[in-house]
Amino acid sequence: MDGARLFVYGTLRKGFRAHRLLQRYHARFLGNGCVQGRLYHLSEYPGAKWSHTAGDRVKGEVYFLPRAATAFKALDRFEGYDPARPEWSMFERKETTVRLAGEREIRAWIYWWRGGHHSGRRLLTGDYGMRRV
C-alpha cells in the first residue's frame, strides 16, 4: 500500500491535539466531508458508528497518506486497533464511502468505534468540533 485516503472526525482533525500525528506522516488535506453514521462523545475523544438511517451524518476531514503502510502502523496504535485481533480493539479501521463537498463520493479509511451506543453521549450535530448533544 503506497498511498491511501483517511477520513478523520475527532482528535486527528486540524486544531485538535492529535493532528500532529498526521503531520508527522506528511498527510495532505483533501477536503471536508461526511460519512453516514452517528457520533458519540466517549470522554476525551469521539467514536463514530455506522448507521442505517440515511440522514445520520458524521462530519470530518479527508487526508491523503503518501506512505500509508507506515502511517497506519502508528495510527492503528493510536486508535487502539490491532488488525491481527480486531475483536479485542476499541476501534476498527475499515474502508467507507465519504461524501465530499459538491456531493462527490470517494472511498477512504475510517476508524469506526466498536462499542455500544449506551457507552457515550450522542453528538447530534455529527461534528466533534461543536460537541453539542
Side-chain angles (χ1 to χ4, degrees):
M1 174 187 309
D2 285 354
R5 295 182 195 114
L6 174 67
F7 176 82
V8 298
Y9 54 83
T11 61
L12 289 168
R13 288 171 58 181
K14 284 183 207 171
F16 289 89
R17 65 179 166 81
H19 184 71
R20 69 190 182 298
L21 187 57
L22 290 182
Q23 292 172 320
R24 184 178 309 150
Y25 293 98
H26 308 287
R28 189 174 76 237
F29 179 71
L30 298 178
N32 294 312
C34 63
V35 298
Q36 185 171 329
R38 291 181 175 184
L39 191 63
Y40 295 89
H41 190 309
L42 305 178
S43 64
E44 296 179 28
Y45 51 85
K49 292 190 73 68
W50 190 84
S51 169
H52 293 282
T53 306
D56 289 343
R57 295 278 177 251
V58 174
K59 297 171 187 169
E61 301 167 347
V62 181
Y63 289 87
F64 178 76
L65 301 170
R67 293 185 351 246
T70 302
F72 279 136
K73 286 180 185 175
L75 290 164
D76 286 352
R77 276 192 305 276
F78 174 77
E79 296 287 357
Y81 171 60
D82 181 354
R85 297 179 63 167
E87 68 278 3
W88 292 95
S89 302
M90 180 182 271
F91 288 85
E92 185 172 15
R93 178 169 42 93
K94 289 188 165 187
E95 272 195 300
T96 194
T97 300
V98 179
R99 178 166 283 146
L100 299 173
E103 301 299 309
R104 184 174 140 226
E105 291 184 348
I106 61 168
R107 298 288 289 170
W109 293 94
I110 184 175
Y111 287 93
W112 290 114
W113 177 43
R114 296 187 71 245
H117 65 278
H118 58 277
S119 301
R121 290 186 337 232
R122 183 168 174 208
L123 298 174
L124 297 175
T125 64
D127 187 343
Y128 186 64
M130 297 182 75
R131 286 195 201 89
R132 286 184 293 158
V133 288

